[in-house]
Amino acid sequence: MRKLIIIILAGLLLITLSTTLTTAKNNINFINNPNIKPIHASTKLLHVIGKFADHNTLITQNNKVYVWGANYYGQLGLGDTNDRNTPTKNTQLEQLIQQNGGVNNILTLKTSWKHNVLVFKNGKVYVWGANYYGQLGLGDTTNRNAPTKNTQLEQLIQENGDANNILTLETGHSYSILIFKNGKVYVWGYNEYGQLGIGDTTNRNTPTENTKLEQIIQENGGAENILTLKTGYAHNILIFKNGKVYVWGANYYGQLGLGDNTNGKTPTENTQLEQIIQENGGADNILTLKTGWDHNILIFRNGKVYVWGRNEYGQLGLGDQGRRNTPTENSQLEQIIQENGGADNILTLKTGESHNILIFRNGKVYVWGYNEFGQLGLGDTNHRYTPTENSELEQKIQDNGGSENILTLETGYSYNILIFKNRKVYVWGRNNVGQLGLGDTTNRDTPTENSKLEQLIQENGGVFLGGDSSVASLIVVLLWLFSLIYI
C-alpha cells in the first residue's frame, strides 16, 4: 500500500512539473531559449511599462496596484485625466483584481502607447485609456479613464475554449493581435499602415478575425509551431519554429526587412530573414528578437547579430545614421558579445522607442541609440551610434550584488526603470509627465534612486521568489507527504 501511495504521489509531482514546463514552453512572449528570459519571471512583483508608453502600472503580490506617469487619455485608470508624478494607488483596479481571484489569476496585462488590456484566467477582460483608433475593441472611439469590461473579447475567449487557450496577446502602438492555440486570430485598433494584416488600412474598433494569418498559421503546422510574434510601432514580425518568417505593417524605414520601403497590408514572407535563420542553424538557434518603434535586433546563440529599420539616432548600432531595409550584420555588437563570453552570457536586451540596453551576466552594460532625454544613462543627451559601455550602470549593478540580483529592467518611451531583488530602484530618462515617479517632471540623464518606489515595494512585502505560488505549494506538499510515507 505504501509503495502504491508513493507511486501515485510521484506521478502527481511529475504531472505538475510537466504542466509547468509546458506552460513555460508555450509562452511565446519570450523566445524559446534557455538563456534570455524575463528577468522578473520568478517573482510576484509585476511592473508593466509598454515599450512605447509613458505610464506605469505596479502590481504587488498582495493585490495592491500603483500607477503613475501620463494620463491625458485616462490610461492610468483612475477615473480622471490628470498626470501623476508619484506612484498613486488605483483602488478600482485593486477591486477588480480581488473580484477575479487575486493577482495570481491575472493572465496578462498589456500596456501600449496610451491604452491597456487586462485579461484574467477566468476569461474576464478589462480595457482603459486612449481609444481614438478603436484600440480598446469596444465598438466605438471614446476614451475610457477607468477599467471597462470588454464583453466582445470575453465572448471570443469563451468561443475559443477559455483564457487558457490564448497563445499570445501582443500590442503595438495603438493596436492588438490576439492568437489562440487553435490558430484563430483576431486584430483591432490602428491600421493606417496595414499593421492589422487584413488587406486594407481601415481601423477596426472591434476584434476582427484575420483569416489570412490563420491560413499562414495552418500552413506552418498550427499555432503551437509559432516561435515568436513581435510588434513595433506599426510593424509585425512572425517567426515559426520551422524558420518561416512573415512580416507586415509599416515599412517606411525598411523595418520589414524586405529590401524596400513599401508598407505591407497583408503578411508577406521574408525569404532573406529565412535564409539568415537557416545559415545560423535554424529557428531553434535564435536567442532573441527585439523590436523598437521602427527598428529590430536579432541575436543568435552563436553570437551573430542582425539589425534593420530606422537608424537616424544610431539605434541599429552600426556607427552611422543610415536606415537599413534588409537585415544587416552588426560586427561591433558581435565583438562585444564575444568579449563578454558569448551570447549565452547575455542577461537581457531591452529596446525602448529608439534606444537599447544590453546587460551581460558579468555585469557589463552597453547602450546605444536615441538619447535626447538622457535615457542611455550616460550623463549627457548625445545620441550614441555604436554600443557604448555604461560604467555608472555597471557600478549600480555591482553595488547591489551583481547582475544575478537584478529583478527587472523595464524600458518605456525614452525612459527606464531598474529594480533589484534587494528592493533598490533606479530610474532615468524622460520625465515630462512624471513617468519616473520621482515627484517632479525633470528628466534624469543618469540612474537616480527612487525612494518612493522602494518604500512601496517594502511596505507591500517586497518580492516573492519562487515562480507560480500554486505550483510551488503543490510540489512542496507532495514532497512533504512523500517524505512522511517513505521515512
Side-chain angles (χ1 to χ4, degrees):
M1 183 65 180
R2 187 175 69 179
K3 287 183 179 178
L4 178 60
I5 294 172
I6 290 171
I7 290 169
I8 292 170
L9 289 173
L12 286 170
L13 177 59
L14 286 172
I15 290 168
T16 302
L17 288 170
S18 174
T19 302
T20 305
L21 291 172
T22 301
T23 301
K25 184 178 179 182
N26 287 335
N27 180 6
I28 65 166
N29 292 320
F30 299 92
I31 216 157
N32 182 25
N33 71 81
N35 299 311
I36 291 188
K37 298 178 181 178
I39 49 183
H40 57 295
S42 61
T43 107
K44 291 300 177 186
L45 177 71
L46 176 62
H47 178 249
V48 180
I49 316 178
K51 64 186 170 189
F52 312 128
D54 46 12
H55 69 284
N56 308 271
T57 304
L58 176 69
I59 303 177
T60 66
Q61 172 63 18
N62 59 358
N63 300 320
K64 298 297 182 186
V65 181
Y66 299 90
V67 295
W68 66 99
N71 193 37
Y72 29 89
Y73 295 106
Q75 57 263 50
L76 296 184
L78 292 167
D80 60 47
T81 54
N82 302 318
D83 300 336
R84 300 299 197 282
N85 59 27
T86 57
T88 303
K89 210 168 190 292
N90 188 318
T91 52
Q92 187 167 349
L93 263 175
E94 288 177 354
Q95 189 175 353
L96 284 178
I97 290 170
Q98 221 158 12
Q99 289 171 354
N100 287 279
V103 66
N104 290 329
N105 285 310
I106 293 175
L107 181 69
T108 189
L109 171 59
K110 289 291 185 177
T111 64
S112 185
W113 173 237
K114 305 294 178 190
H115 79 284
N116 313 272
V117 183
L118 173 62
V119 184
F120 288 94
K121 293 177 183 177
N122 60 9
K124 297 294 182 185
V125 182
Y126 297 88
V127 295
W128 65 99
N131 195 34
Y132 39 79
Y133 296 120
Q135 57 262 53
L136 298 185
L138 293 168
D140 58 47
T141 54
T142 304
N143 303 328
R144 301 299 198 281
N145 61 23
T148 303
K149 208 171 191 305
N150 189 315
T151 53
Q152 186 162 350
L153 268 173
E154 290 176 354
Q155 181 64 30
L156 284 178
I157 290 171
Q158 189 178 346
E159 289 171 0
N160 286 279
D162 56 29
N164 291 323
N165 286 312
I166 293 175
L167 182 69
T168 192
L169 170 64
E170 296 297 327
T171 54
H173 176 274
S174 297
Y175 69 100
S176 301
I177 301 175
L178 175 64
I179 303 180
F180 288 92
K181 293 177 184 176
N182 61 8
K184 290 289 185 182
V185 183
Y186 298 88
V187 296
W188 64 98
Y190 186 40
N191 194 35
E192 181 180 352
Y193 304 101
Q195 57 264 48
L196 298 185
I198 46 184
D200 59 45
T201 56
T202 303
N203 301 331
R204 299 299 196 279
N205 61 24
T206 57
T208 302
E209 190 168 358
N210 187 318
T211 55
K212 300 175 191 297
L213 266 174
E214 289 174 353
Q215 180 65 30
I216 287 169
I217 289 170
Q218 187 179 350
E219 290 170 356
N220 285 278
E224 67 271 17
N225 286 310
I226 293 174
L227 179 68
T228 194
L229 169 65
K230 294 293 184 180
T231 57
Y233 167 84
H235 77 284
N236 312 279
I237 303 174
L238 175 64
I239 304 180
F240 289 91
K241 294 176 184 176
N242 61 8
K244 292 290 185 182
V245 182
Y246 295 85
V247 296
W248 67 98
N251 194 35
Y252 37 79
Y253 292 111
Q255 56 264 54
L256 298 185
L258 293 168
D260 58 42
N261 300 102
T262 304
N263 300 329
K265 294 182 286 190
T266 57
T268 301
E269 192 169 356
N270 187 317
T271 54
Q272 185 163 350
L273 264 174
E274 289 174 353
Q275 181 64 30
I276 287 170
I277 290 170
Q278 187 179 348
E279 289 170 357
N280 286 278
D284 285 343
N285 286 309
I286 293 174
L287 183 69
T288 193
L289 169 65
K290 294 292 185 179
T291 52
W293 189 284
D294 297 306
H295 75 284
N296 312 280
I297 302 174
L298 175 63
I299 303 180
F300 288 91
R301 292 181 183 171
N302 60 9
K304 291 289 185 183
V305 182
Y306 296 85
V307 295
W308 65 100
R310 188 179 186 180
N311 192 38
E312 66 185 281
Y313 304 113
Q315 53 263 58
L316 298 185
L318 293 167
D320 58 45
Q321 297 175 270
R323 67 184 69 168
R324 302 298 196 279
N325 60 21
T326 58
T328 302
E329 192 167 355
N330 187 316
S331 57
Q332 185 163 350
L333 264 174
E334 290 173 352
Q335 179 64 28
I336 286 170
I337 290 170
Q338 187 180 349
E339 289 170 356
N340 285 278
D344 287 349
N345 287 310
I346 294 174
L347 179 69
T348 193
L349 169 64
K350 290 288 187 175
T351 54
E353 177 239 346
S354 294
H355 76 284
N356 312 279
I357 303 176
L358 175 64
I359 303 180
F360 289 92
R361 297 184 190 278
N362 60 8
K364 292 290 185 182
V365 182
Y366 296 86
V367 296
W368 65 100
Y370 189 46
N371 194 37
E372 181 179 349
F373 308 104
Q375 59 262 48
L376 297 185
L378 293 167
D380 59 47
T381 55
N382 302 319
H383 309 315
R384 297 301 195 279
Y385 304 103
T386 57
T388 302
E389 192 168 355
N390 187 316
S391 56
E392 183 154 355
L393 263 175
E394 290 173 353
Q395 186 61 46
K396 291 282 189 291
I397 291 171
Q398 187 179 341
D399 291 344
N400 287 279
S403 67
E404 65 272 17
N405 286 312
I406 293 175
L407 182 64
T408 187
L409 169 65
E410 303 287 348
T411 54
Y413 183 80
S414 300
Y415 73 104
N416 316 278
I417 299 181
L418 175 63
I419 305 177
F420 288 92
K421 292 177 184 176
N422 61 6
R423 303 164 191 175
K424 289 291 186 184
V425 181
Y426 298 89
V427 296
W428 66 101
R430 193 175 192 184
N431 194 36
N432 62 311
V433 287
Q435 56 265 57
L436 298 186
L438 293 167
D440 59 45
T441 54
T442 304
N443 301 332
R444 301 299 197 280
D445 59 18
T446 57
T448 302
E449 191 167 355
N450 187 318
S451 57
K452 301 176 192 298
L453 269 173
E454 290 173 352
Q455 185 177 347
L456 280 181
I457 293 170
Q458 179 73 28
E459 289 171 355
N460 288 281
V463 297
F464 173 82
L465 301 177
D468 188 276
S469 58
S470 59
V471 171
S473 299
L474 179 56
I475 291 173
V476 169
V477 170
L478 288 171
L479 289 173
W480 175 68
L481 288 171
F482 182 88
S483 67
L484 286 179
I485 296 166
Y486 188 76
I487 296 169

